Amino acid sequence: MKCRKCGKTAIINLRHHNVAYCAEHFKEYFEKRVEMTIKKYSMFSRKDKILVAVSGGKDSTTVWFVLAKLGYKVSGMNIDVGTVPADVNKLKDFASSIGSELITVDSRELLEGLTVPEAAKIVKRPVCSVCGSVRRYIMNKVASENGFTVLVTGHNLDDEASFLLGNLLNWNLDYLRRQKPVLPATEEGFSKKAKPLVLLTEKETFTYAFINNLPFSEEICPYSKEATSLHYKHMLNEIELKHPGTKLRFYDGFQKANLFEDNMVVELKKCNVCGYPTTTDVCSFCRMKERLKSAVGEQKV
Ligand SMILES: [Zn+2]
Ligand SMILES: [Zn+2]
């Protein structure tokens, strides 16, 4: 197998594009594809102040690295929710090596001193669901308080294709409506959100992180082990093996079809307590906090 560009031995074969590359030309391909994705979906420009959600895993580390390399103004943010703590010193070193900065937030500060698993137990909700809403809330808060114009996450094509499959199998219309590579900011105070790796597979992202020697942890959150999305990923990979390009056609085709174009109107107002955009008078985060407060209070009495 030879690199299409230079004829040297290839390190990766991209069957969905029917092309193989050496390390050098794979890097070039990957970076061009990120740039193309940013332009294709009008995600952001070099004037934007970008905040990347950083977990220490390969996807978020890669998107942080690539955006810095491409000359975007980017900062990383790590949220410690009390599940799998990231190696913050390692992340700080990495940030300075790419000319970026790291912002750290401890979710306990906002959750009455409780970790996400502790809070989930009290409000009787699945850890992943509480974790997701706490992260979204904190990211939005940090972005709006610090003048960031775009929130970026490292979701790749495999992540998005498996969400899409799950959302279709369960006809989660609300999720399908919002499953886009970019979501605009809203007047009510939701920041713009973008996923620049959506057109790159997990294998491509892993290879890019690996050949660039990016420091990343492969630790999986203990609460996400049984995630159904992992099962969907395996199934999609089986189909992909026989029919290369399926994942990309599945995801990209859904975006092109734009099924929900005129259907985006959801009435939002500001939370009476914190000002966060919400569909109810008090946002779900503040309602959860209220329940935690009384639970913690009862324990102290
Ligand atoms: Zn080459
Ligand atoms: Zn609120």
Side-chain angles (χ1 to χ4, degrees), residues 31 34 129 166 289 296:
E31 287 155 18
V34 171
S129 129
K289 236 175 120 163
V296 170

Side-chain angles (χ1 to χ4, degrees), residues 2-9 20-26:
K2 301 251 187 266
C3 171
R4 173 187 280 184
K5 284 234 156 161
C6 68
K8 280 191 206 149
T9 307
Y21 289 118
C22 70
E24 220 37 59
H25 288 116
F26 174 69

Side-chain angles (χ1 to χ4, degrees), residues 214-229:
L214 303 185
F216 63 87
S217 145
E218 288 183 83
E219 203 171 338
I220 297 167
C221 175
Y223 297 95
S224 72
K225 265 182 193 152
E226 287 178 346
T228 325
S229 73

Side-chain angles (χ1 to χ4, degrees), residues 119-269:
K121 210 170 169 185
I122 291 173
V123 295
K124 298 187 177 67
R125 271 172 58 195
V127 175
C128 293
S129 129
V130 174
C131 190
S133 57
V134 167
R135 281 177 194 280
R136 278 192 295 278
Y137 185 87
I138 293 178
M139 279 187 74
N140 207 68
K141 186 170 167 13
V142 170
S144 61
E145 285 172 2
N146 295 279
F148 287 99
T149 47
V150 189
L151 285 175
V152 158
T153 52
H155 294 98
N156 60 41
L157 180 61
D158 292 52
D159 297 326
E160 293 298 311
S162 78
F163 292 154
L164 178 56
L165 181 60
N167 288 335
L168 285 172
L169 291 175
N170 297 294
W171 291 112
N172 284 331
L173 294 182
D174 277 343
Y175 288 147
L176 285 168
R177 194 170 284 137
R178 283 182 291 133
Q179 201 185 346
K180 296 185 175 223
V182 62
L183 285 172
T186 66
E187 272 175 40
E188 298 80 7
F190 272 127
S191 306
K192 188 176 188 181
K193 297 184 186 73
K195 303 172 180 174
L197 302 186
V198 283
L199 299 182
L200 289 150
T201 63
E202 186 141 350
K203 178 181 154 190
E204 288 170 309
T205 310
F206 179 84
T207 306
Y208 184 84
F210 185 77
I211 60 180
N212 280 287
N213 281 318
L214 303 185
F216 63 87
S217 145
E218 288 183 83
E219 203 171 338
I220 297 167
C221 175
Y223 297 95
S224 72
K225 265 182 193 152
E226 287 178 346
T228 325
S229 73
L230 219 57
H231 183 211
Y232 294 155
K233 273 188 187 176
H234 291 314
M235 296 204 314
L236 285 166
N237 280 337
E238 269 180 41
I239 302 172
E240 182 77 22
L241 209 59
K242 289 207 169 146
H243 309 284
T246 299
K247 266 188 279 197
L248 198 54
R249 284 194 301 277
F250 181 48
Y251 179 75
D252 202 37
F254 173 68
Q255 297 305 334
K256 277 194 191 122
N258 209 7
L259 300 173
F260 298 98
E261 200 180 9
D262 302 321
N263 226 336
M264 275 290 287
V265 199
V266 183
E267 274 229 28
L268 287 174
K269 36 192 167 180

Side-chain angles (χ1 to χ4, degrees), residues 137 270-278 281-287:
Y137 185 87
K270 282 182 190 274
C271 166
N272 286 340
V273 181
C274 72
Y276 188 82
T278 169
D281 288 335
V282 176
C283 79
S284 59
F285 187 86
C286 288
R287 275 181 282 147

